[in-house]
Amino acid sequence: MAMIKVENLVKTYQVIQKESGLFGYFKNLVKPKYKEFDAVKGINFSIEEGELVGYIGENGAGKSTTIKMLTGLLTPTSGEVIVNNLKPYKSRIENNKNIGAVFGQKTQLWWDLPVIESFRLIKKMYKIPEGEYRKNLKKFTEILELDELLEKQVKNLSLGQKMRCEIAAAFLHNPKIVYLDEPTIGLDVFVKENIRKFIKEINKEKNVTVILTTHDLKDIEDVCDRIILLDKGQIIYDGSKQKFKDTYGKYVIAEFTVKDKNLNINDNIRIDEIEILEETENQLKLKFKHEETTIVKVMEQISNYCKIEDIHMKEAELEDILKEIYKGAHKC
Amino acid sequence: MLKTMLALAKMQFNQYNIYKSNFYLWTLNRIIEVIVYIFVWQAIYNQTGDAGGFTINQLVTYYILTVSIRPIALFSINSDIAYSIRNGKINKELLNPISYFQYCFGVNLGEMAFALVIGIATFVICSVFWTIILPANLTSFILFLIVIMLGIPLTFFIEVIVGTVGFYSSSIWGMEILKDAIISIFSGIIAPIALFPMWFQKIANILPFKDLIYTPINIWLGQVPTNEIIFVILKQLIWTIILYVIAKIFFNYSIKKITINGG
Ligand SMILES: Nc1ncnc2c1ncn2[C@@H]1O[C@H](COP(=O)(O)OP(=O)(O)OP(=O)(O)O)[C@@H](O)[C@H]1O
Ligand SMILES: [Mg+2]
């Protein structure tokens, strides 16, 4: 039985059409004109218990809209969402007992009070047994380094400190599922790593299902096994991270440092297998597929036009692949 | 559920209590109000030798009590609700394992508790400077407390109704002022209802506000016969149910609306 099941899920927002002029203003007051906007256009997926899913896509792709439907904050326009055998939009409070959520920078901690007080309230609200609460608190404090934060007032915490507390709060009651909507936004590398480590460890220990949206693909690279890629309200990829890389990313990016360039290479080189991404006086960044050519051949070609001083090669990372996909998606 | 609400109340209480200056300033504020009211009435009394059948002592007691228990009628979480709706904080609050209604009620109890502490402080300090008429007997004091307590859910539902307007308008400031004005006049905060013309008193008798402030104080002063108090309590209960139903329907309808159309 899947933990989360989504079938033909659609969300259409009604947007009030503003009309110009005084007449339009009054017309709007009496009988507002609505325009429909499809934010999520009939998506399907199913997620098993314990999966770590990266839910990615460009700004406005519909990620938060989906998460809101999964948590019952939004009612689907059509289609079905079933989370742990419940329909969240019908039994939201029942569903709330099984889930934890972090939404970007909106805090659920009590602003003027020490962090620990908010944790204690969570303990009472979710009826977490004393022993379990202590065990979790100890563990979370250790991984997320909360020691010195717990007694501080929330309003005095830095963004990163607050987010660490926020994440701890979302996992405190041993939820079955945790939704993290851009939990790493605006954080420094160390805090990000800290949070990733936490998610991985708790997932391993408690088999909690995690759905993570982020624009930092290192989060996905590091934490998730599975990727769901959303584009303008539609899923364009759903599968393992490895397969994603294999399917879309079978290419190598090579960066050359060159000297004595006699010609503009971009305008002259005509090899189908090589795509030049960037070119400056002494830098050259290009991309080619493993299967079609080799680095030796590429170097042969280029050395006709310049002297190669240094080469730096890397496998395509998620970020490169995504850029490609987006570019492709925008062309057609 | 009760435990959760008490925990919430404690949180809200502590949230205020963090700033000790809140406590001192508010208490001081109340005392200054009492002084102003009393001076005005003393002036009227000295000029006309009469104040609607009240003795000056009764009036002093009336205003000290009014200022002390006024939070029951006016202290508000409606702006909290509206604020929460506007900045999207409500999305997190809707994900609590208890209903938003219960959540708010818990928070509201915390506000009341804080206001009550200030009320008691105001009362005690004022009793040093003025002679306050004490309740005729223990029964009237207990009845006074009961009627006040019954006012708490009543005010809460009014608050929810006003706060929910925040779903529809980005500013509920106007609504709030209107609400405060209506309650202040009809509950007897501004002046004892008996001083108003007959037609006004008739309206005040029907509305629920009078029993938030005016009636309990009159019970304290021993001016309401015990058998009448039964009807007061009955009326309060009926109003509580009516306001509960309205608040619940309006609130749930509005929540449904945002869950259909986003925040
Ligand atoms: N309440 C709303 N009313 C109308 N349109 C909305 C509403 N909420 C979101 N939208 C629109 O729906 C689309 C999807 O928004 P959503 O917030 O789900 O995107 P997202 O994938 O989370 O983007 P981001 O990465 O920027 O957070 C956007 O075009 C947005 O403008
Ligand atoms: Mg988003």
Side-chain angles (χ1 to χ4, degrees), chain A residues 13-15 37-40 57-66 68 181-182 213 215 230, chain B residues 261-263:
Chain A
Y13 287 113
Q14 307 276 340
V15 192
F37 177 82
D38 301 321
V40 171
E58 287 178 288
N59 287 130
K63 302 181 295 294
S64 300
T65 305
T66 314
K68 280 186 185 161
D181 195 351
E182 306 199 32
T213 85
H215 290 289
L230 199 63
Chain B
N261 218 2

Side-chain angles (χ1 to χ4, degrees), chain A residues 70-72 83-84 88 92 94-101 126 170 173-179, chain B residues 95:
Chain A
L70 291 174
T71 52
V83 176
N84 196 26
R92 185 170 27 101
E94 201 48 42
N95 182 56
N96 287 349
K97 292 175 185 160
N98 306 322
I99 68 164
Y126 290 91
H173 58 289
N174 294 334
K176 288 207 164 75
I177 305 162
V178 175
Y179 302 98
Chain B
L95 291 181

Side-chain angles (χ1 to χ4, degrees), chain B:
Chain B
M1 190 188 92
L2 194 69
K3 249 188 173 163
T4 310
M5 283 206 276
L6 287 181
L8 276 163
K10 206 176 130 214
M11 291 292 276
Q12 185 70 2
F13 186 88
N14 290 342
Q15 179 117 320
Y16 277 110
N17 210 26
I18 286 275
Y19 306 104
K20 292 283 181 267
S21 58
N22 261 355
F23 177 80
Y24 297 121
L25 279 175
W26 287 11
T27 310
L28 185 67
N29 208 352
R30 299 277 153 85
I31 293 171
I32 291 171
E33 269 185 85
V34 170
I35 294 173
V36 171
Y37 274 126
I38 290 177
F39 278 2
V40 168
W41 279 103
Q42 232 147 20
I44 295 174
Y45 202 76
N46 290 344
Q47 291 254 315
T48 60
D50 175 57
F54 286 93
T55 67
I56 190 71
N57 238 348
Q58 279 175 328
L59 273 176
V60 167
T61 307
Y62 184 90
Y63 278 106
I64 291 173
L65 281 174
T66 298
V67 172
S68 302
I69 67 170
R70 188 180 47 191
I72 298 285
L74 286 183
F75 209 44
S76 55
I77 62 156
N78 66 50
S79 45
D80 291 22
I81 298 176
Y83 181 72
S84 182
I85 293 167
R86 201 162 14 152
N87 73 0
K89 197 164 156 259
I90 195 167
N91 274 343
K92 287 252 53 169
E93 291 163 347
L94 288 172
L95 291 181
N96 283 326
I98 58 170
S99 80
Y100 189 63
F101 221 78
Q102 285 167 18
Y103 175 87
C104 286
F105 192 68
V107 173
N108 192 58
L109 281 181
E111 304 239 328
M112 290 289 169
F114 189 73
L116 192 72
V117 173
I118 290 176
I120 292 172
T122 309
F123 183 83
V124 170
I125 294 171
C126 287
S127 69
V128 175
F129 298 103
W130 290 283
T131 328
I132 299 177
I133 299 169
L134 294 178
N137 49 46
L138 191 65
T139 323
S140 42
F141 182 64
I142 290 171
L143 285 169
F144 163 81
L145 288 183
I146 291 176
V147 172
I148 283 184
M149 293 300 170
L150 286 173
I152 293 178
L154 216 150
T155 316
F156 171 68
F157 298 136
I158 296 172
E159 294 291 327
V160 171
I161 293 169
V162 175
T164 305
V165 175
F167 282 113
Y168 304 93
S169 151
S170 55
S171 157
I172 63 156
W173 188 67
M175 275 290 291
E176 234 188 306
I177 296 215
L178 184 68
K179 179 213 71 163
D180 283 356
I182 292 174
I183 293 182
S184 299
I185 296 169
F186 284 100
S187 67
I189 286 174
I190 295 195
I193 309 265
L195 301 184
F196 287 92
M198 216 47 216
W199 62 266
F200 180 91
Q201 292 189 35
K202 276 190 187 136
I203 300 176
N205 280 339
I206 299 167
L207 295 174
F209 311 116
K210 182 181 154 186
D211 304 326
L212 298 172
I213 306 285
Y214 184 73
T215 313
I217 293 180
N218 272 316
I219 292 173
W220 171 293
L221 294 171
Q223 297 193 334
V224 187
T226 315
N227 55 352
E228 237 175 73
I229 297 177
I230 310 281
F231 288 104
V232 168
I233 292 177
L234 209 64
K235 180 185 155 203
Q236 275 186 305
L237 290 177
I238 291 171
W239 265 111
T240 305
I241 293 169
I242 293 173
L243 287 168
Y244 169 77
V245 171
I246 296 175
K248 192 91 181 172
I249 290 175
F250 184 37
F251 184 79
N252 286 351
Y253 170 81
S254 309
I255 287 277
K256 191 155 263 155
K257 230 177 128 141
I258 64 158
T259 66
I260 284 172
N261 218 2

Side-chain angles (χ1 to χ4, degrees), chain A residues 125-304:
Chain A
M125 280 208 288
Y126 290 91
K127 304 192 172 55
I128 310 170
E130 182 69 34
E132 194 59 30
Y133 171 76
R134 288 207 182 177
K135 217 174 75 199
N136 281 351
L137 188 61
K138 185 156 169 277
K139 174 147 197 118
F140 295 2
T141 306
E142 223 172 85
I143 310 178
L144 290 169
E145 296 163 28
L146 304 178
D147 259 329
E148 278 149 33
L149 309 180
L150 291 178
E151 295 300 330
K152 279 195 181 166
Q153 281 173 278
V154 175
K155 62 172 176 205
N156 294 336
L157 299 179
S158 77
L159 186 64
Q161 293 171 332
K162 211 169 3 199
M163 189 46 85
R164 272 145 60 201
C165 297
E166 201 80 47
I167 301 255
F171 284 84
L172 211 50
H173 58 289
N174 294 334
K176 288 207 164 75
I177 305 162
V178 175
Y179 302 98
L180 303 169
D181 195 351
E182 306 199 32
T184 56
I185 191 165
L187 306 185
D188 75 36
V189 204
F190 298 108
V191 176
K192 278 182 179 173
E193 270 171 9
N194 195 244
I195 289 176
R196 292 172 196 149
K197 182 173 157 221
F198 177 80
I199 299 172
K200 278 192 290 187
E201 276 202 44
I202 302 301
N203 166 264
K204 211 153 89 196
E205 191 188 310
K206 306 190 189 251
N207 207 27
V208 51
T209 312
V210 177
I211 298 189
L212 170 69
T213 85
T214 178
H215 290 289
D216 183 343
L217 292 159
K218 294 234 170 55
D219 292 343
I220 306 282
E221 195 96 56
D222 201 14
V223 173
C224 302
D225 310 317
R226 173 173 166 193
I227 290 175
I228 298 180
L229 175 58
L230 199 63
D231 185 62
K232 299 190 201 75
Q234 280 170 322
I235 292 179
I236 55 175
Y237 177 83
D238 179 1
S240 78
K241 182 173 61 188
Q242 199 48 53
K243 192 173 140 240
F244 184 73
K245 284 189 179 173
D246 291 347
T247 319
Y248 295 100
K250 278 212 156 156
Y251 56 81
V252 177
I253 306 237
E255 280 176 23
F256 293 85
T257 309
V258 297
K259 209 169 78 173
D260 303 333
K261 202 159 68 165
N262 52 19
L263 265 174
N264 191 339
I265 299 174
N266 201 4
D267 296 338
N268 290 284
I269 206 165
R270 281 284 166 263
I271 320 170
D272 288 342
E273 302 91 62
I274 304 176
E275 187 187 327
I276 302 202
L277 301 174
E278 268 172 51
E279 180 179 3
T280 61
E281 192 47 43
N282 40 22
Q283 284 288 334
L284 196 59
K285 188 171 170 186
L286 47 80
K287 189 185 110 180
F288 61 91
K289 287 210 165 155
H290 267 317
E291 297 144 357
E292 292 166 2
T293 186
T294 63
I295 186 69
V296 181
K297 279 192 200 153
V298 173
M299 283 169 69
E300 254 170 38
Q301 288 285 344
I302 292 176
S303 53
N304 290 336

